[in-house]
Amino acid sequence: MTKLSYLHEPGVLHNLAARYELNEIYTYTGNILIAINPFQRLPHLYDTHMMEQYKGAAFGELSPHVFAVADVAYRAMINEGKSNSILVSGESGAGKTETTKMLMRYLAYLGGRSGVEGRTVEQQVLESNPVLEAFGNAKTVRNNNSSRFGKFVEIQFDKKGRISGAAIRTYLLERSRVCQISDPERNYHCFYLLCAAPAEEKEKYKLGSPSCFHYLNQSKCYELDGVDDAHEYLATRRAMDIVGISEEEQEAIFRVVAAILHLGNIEFAKGEEIDSSVIKDEQSRFHLNTTAELLKCDAKSLEDALIKRVMVTPEEVITRTLDPVAALGSRDALAKTIYSRLFDWLVEKINNSIGQDPNSKSIIGVLDIYGFESFKFNSFEQFCINFTNEKLQQHFNQHVFKMEQEEYTKEEINWSYIEFVDNQDVLDLIEKKPGGIIALLDEACMFPKSTHETFAQKLYQTFKNNKRFVKPKLSRTSFTICHYAGEVLYQADMFLDKNKDYVVAEHQALLTASTCSFVAALFPPSPEESSKSSKFSSIGSRFKLQLQSLMETLSSTEPHYIRCVKPNNVLKPAIFENLNIIQQLRCGGVLEAIRISCAGYPTRRTFYEFLNRFGVLAPEVLDGNYDDKVACQMILDKMGLKGYQIGKTKVFLRAGQMAELDARRAVVLGNAARTIQRQIRTHIARKEFIELRQAAIHLQSYLRGILARKLYNQLRREAAAVKIEKIFRGYIAKKSYLTIRSSAITLQTGLRAMKARDEFRFRKQTNAAIHMQAHVRRLIAYSYYKRLQKAAIVTQCGWRGRVARRELRKLKMAARETGALQEAKNKLEKRVEELTWRLQIEKRLRTDLEEEKAQEVAKLKDALQAMQIQVEEANAKVIKEREAARKAIEEAPPVIKETPVIIQDTEKLNSLMAEVNSLKETLLMEREAKEEARKAHADAEARNAELVKKVEESDRKVDQLQELVQRLEDKVSNTESENQVLRQQALAVSPTAKALSARPKSVIIQRTPENGNAVNGESKIVSDMTLALSNVREPESEGKPQKSLNEKQQENQDLLIKCISQDLGFSGGKPIAACMIYKCLLHWRSFEVERTSVFDRIIQTISSAVEGQDNADVLSYWLSNTSTLLLLLQRTLKATGAASLTPQRRRTASASLFGRMSQGLRASPQTAGLPFLNGRGLSRLDDLRQVEAKYPALLFKQQLTAFLEKIYGMIRDNLKKEISPLLGLCIQAPRTSRQGLVKGRSHANAVAQQALIAHWQSIVKSLNNSLKIMKANYVPPFLVCKVFTQIFSFINVQLFNSLLLRRECCSFSNGEYVKTGLAELEQWCNEATEEYAGSAWEELKHIRQAVGFLVIHQKPKKTLNEITKELCPVLSIQQLYRISTMYWDDKYGTHSVSSDVIAKMRTMMSEDSGNAVSSSFLLDDDSSIPFSVDDISKSMQQVDVADVDPPPLIRENSGFTFLLSRSE
């Protein structure tokens, strides 16, 4: 910056700002390097390539860099053999520490070599930084990693320029920070690193969070942004290993650090005596014991050292206690002393580990010292820091002046009048003896009664006339010093305490006696005390001596200066605060150096540079053959400048003269430029005129040609326009005609179509009316028939009941005759062999009970009759005696004779009355006995009815068991037949097998009344069939080649496959393809051959038709065909040997039609071997006869069954996929729709209701569509019913699970919405009829009951029994509990069930918690096939294949004449 034309503060600031925007953070001011902190990583500036660039480069040759300063110092040391020093200064956060690291890195790069035991000296020097930073750096307001001590690193070099040793000197560690910090600053890093150590170490030292310790929680800042304390702890341990600190020493170091934290948590309370103190509480006692344990000293001795002091007088030794405030001061003093000794030990250990070279002749010292500080509150630390900066500034000024002096002397110019500004007066104010501030502070510290106020008053009196010392007006303890960088206000409150450096004798004795060698080494025993041993020592004096030693070291070296600058206070990149930077430049002495340069000759240029730049001011001088020095002198004289000087090689100009020369040079250059511009502009104007004239001539010729061509084109366009108009008008007329014609045709078409639609609509309505009338009449007739049938049944039941009661009375009268009952019992024993003993016991008990009751009833009746007779006789006697007495009284003589008669009559009357009373009592007893007998009789009748029901149920079970056994026997026979077929196939290669397969088959035709052969005597059918048999066998007997027959059969098969691959449709509700396949296979006797490919081809055709098919119409078509064909095969095919293996059994009356038919077939051995049937023999289902099927036929049947199940599953799954998205919309009603239902009127409610059930109507539409497709393809109702049953089960599972999983669905309004949708499904089931819907509505029982529970009112009044038995009997306790807990009423605000019911549910669930099945409240979807082949054969109706007409392709072929009907 010394080369700037305007060398003043704005120019310097502008230059720094411009370079900072370009990330050029380094700038030279002479040989002073200014480094601006970028607050971001710039790795390209410090890599190995950059070091290689600056190695050996001349100063100023490359861009300014910290490596250039280090390289200059290193080259000066090597070349001149003189020690050098690099002084790095700046305020906190300016980047001093990072700059120091970069300097040491570069010096290690230049002079590095391997050290002892694998560790290099330079590596130990670099790795010492993390250790010193951990114990000497802390977060301040201005910097997150501020060095709170000064550091001077001496790097020693040998004769070859290699690093041979190093030493680190530290200055003024900020001890007060250990005990006192302000928010948002932090204490030293090591405390936080130890609190973030691994858990086992924290437990060993009994540490916790930093917020638990008094020395750390005075500030709320515990962590730094972007810094991991746990990671930094491990890095510090690794750095300790490198610098040579052993594991035992590391453990002792962190034990001391932990002891300091625990020491800070010891608190004191007032004791019983005056000015005494004791440990406050148990928590403080715990920390006291922990501190003693970590320092390995006695806890009682530690307590005494903190709260007691021993005073030695000539007469006696006095022990006094300290008050709580003094005890706290003693505690903090001990903590500061321990930490200071620990830091000094670390520095000494690092120096010993690195090692020093006593033979080294030259060093390079790197000074990392704190910069000038001025805070809101400034104490003793800022005073010492600013004192250091005053010393360094004096050294800096002297060095700058010295460089200027050397430059002027070298060039032999006169410089004696340059004024030099010195700050010696400020240094005298601070350090002069005996009247300096430090001397007065030491004096005040030596007097016990001195306070900070007396110290301040002493300063006021001593320096009241010093211009550098200012007393504030409103403070009695503060003072201001006018430093070179500005005024700083100091608070003298803590000066005395912070200046004292002696160790309390009790503390020294306590720690010297520690059993820990490390702690004892920190406090070595002092020499024997004498009267002079207690001489006072202070921090200020010691610091002054260290600073004096440092200045001596710097004076003996060649200094190089680096001034670090902090661009902003927010510590963020790309922010340049002008006021902040200009203040730092002033504090760093940069502007003072510029002022010194400006006081002399700040601008200097070599003769060549001066002539090259300012030769234009005197061209005649350049033209003459003058010497450079003379030429420069002539130019300066011509310009009239005064005060300049000319040296031997340079021109020295005063401040501002360079700017004046530049201004005159600009005027000369401006005049020359204007002359050149005038000539150039004349040349350009003439050239433009000539070009413009040429262009005008060319333009005129072009324009004339354009006008001629335009006239020609206009005439040509007019002629063309006339022609176009003619053609266009003709086109318009034709188009208008065609439009009118087309409109007329369209109108006629529309009118005719409308008339046709009206006619069609009328006919459709007429047919619909006729259809409705037919249905209504059928319904009326059916209803009348049903009512008549019901009335007849009721009448029959009444009459039969009456007859049964009459018969029962007769049986009671003849109860002893048990012959009929015994006969019935014998019949029952014959019918049910398995239940004989149980029925015998039950009937025997019933018989005995009836006999006993009958006898008892007879006895009671006889006794009752006898008693009634006696009562009647007694009554008659009484009446007769009364009559006799009355007559006797009437006929009696006078009164005298009456008395004995009256007495006698009275006695008799009394006896008769007593007898009557006894008879009444007997009558009552008999009546009660009769009532009891009647009740017993009723009980016996009830038990008899139960026994009758059990007998009937036993009969039904026996029938079912017989039917099941029969079915199992059939399956066993089929399995054995298949096994036999497999064995025959395995032996097919043997001659025996071939002989067996070549045997002729017998033809046996059953003659039964059903087919009309035996009863009606129609021998024609038999003769026809015999003739057909002979016709079929004639070609074989004719001896034609087998090849021609096979080719013809192959052609027929190809034609059949080609035909069935098309959609043949249905005939009379029967699938044509299935019937045609069945008739062809039966005619070709394919079921009875050992090998054939027709089955595989049919299966492949079906597979290709349904594979990957999503069309429901195609799938329904093939489902109808496969089910019909499987039914025909099930009723026709019979495994070989099945008739002989199946025993003959009598079927019950409840057997199905198929069961009766198959039983009848098995009962007639003559019908088991029907080989084939032609078209004439397939007139009815009764004509179907079983044939013995071989292995291919049985395999074909199994494959057909598999395809039937696959097609069924595809139809079901496609329908599930179609309705699945709609189910997600049906489980929860839209909120707007719910509000509309409540707030709107009736019409609005109807519209909202219609909108609400739109999704449900979509599901119903899908169901209707599927039902319509399956009906159109005549899918058996049994399969349709199964499809919709599983679909409704799927709907039930999806809706119910969604209801249980989503709380918003368990609301009252949502229950109404789902209930409305379920009503739509119920209506669909009713419309679909039970034939197709079946029990599908019952599959929705879970969701129906759950929705019903949601919409009922007064839920809190419902008991658990009512809920589980009446409202929701299907739902489990887990499901009811979840619905009850998730329910919320968004419409009326009602509550769910009571808390008692919830508690009972929870209890029942805890009892069933071991059951994994009961713990689940969700339903599972069943995707299995819900039917078997037997179910299909039982449920499907008879199929008459005779009336099915073949398609035209088959009808025209002569090989398929057997498919034609009889009439054809």
Side-chain angles (χ1 to χ4, degrees), residues 949-966:
K949 289 181 179 179
K950 288 183 179 180
V951 170
E952 292 176 353
E953 186 176 356
S954 300
D955 292 342
R956 186 169 62 257
K957 288 182 178 179
V958 168
D959 294 339
Q960 292 177 357
L961 288 173
Q962 287 179 352
E963 185 176 356
L964 179 61
V965 168
Q966 188 64 38

Side-chain angles (χ1 to χ4, degrees), residues 157-208:
F157 294 86
D158 57 13
K159 296 179 180 180
K160 297 182 180 180
R162 298 287 184 179
I163 296 177
S164 59
I168 299 175
R169 309 279 184 262
T170 59
Y171 304 95
L172 191 63
L173 177 70
E174 188 180 356
R175 301 198 309 171
S176 62
R177 182 171 289 272
V178 177
C179 307
Q180 183 180 2
I181 57 175
S182 59
D183 200 10
E185 296 186 350
R186 292 207 321 172
N187 213 319
Y188 289 106
H189 293 328
C190 60
F191 296 113
Y192 302 94
L193 300 184
L194 188 58
C195 290
E200 59 272 10
E201 297 195 20
K202 291 171 63 178
E203 184 177 359
K204 179 170 65 176
Y205 300 133
K206 299 180 181 179
L207 297 176

Side-chain angles (χ1 to χ4, degrees), residues 90-102:
E91 73 170 54
S92 179
K96 301 186 298 297
T97 303
E98 292 298 322
T99 302
T100 304
K101 291 179 184 178
M102 296 304 162

Side-chain angles (χ1 to χ4, degrees), residues 204-224:
K204 179 170 65 176
Y205 300 133
K206 299 180 181 179
L207 297 176
S209 172
S211 60
C212 302
F213 298 101
H214 171 68
Y215 285 163
L216 303 182
N217 61 16
Q218 299 174 39
S219 170
K220 300 304 179 184
C221 179
Y222 302 114
E223 297 179 355
L224 298 179

Side-chain angles (χ1 to χ4, degrees), residues 244 249 352 538 667 747 758 905 1043 1428:
E249 291 172 338
N352 294 335
S538 67
V667 171
L747 184 61
D758 292 340
D905 292 340
K1043 183 177 180 181
S1428 62

Side-chain angles (χ1 to χ4, degrees), residues 1056-1072:
L1056 175 64
I1057 297 301
K1058 179 180 178 182
C1059 189
I1060 65 174
S1061 61
Q1062 304 172 1
D1063 189 354
L1064 302 180
F1066 300 86
S1067 176
K1070 295 180 285 293
I1072 298 175

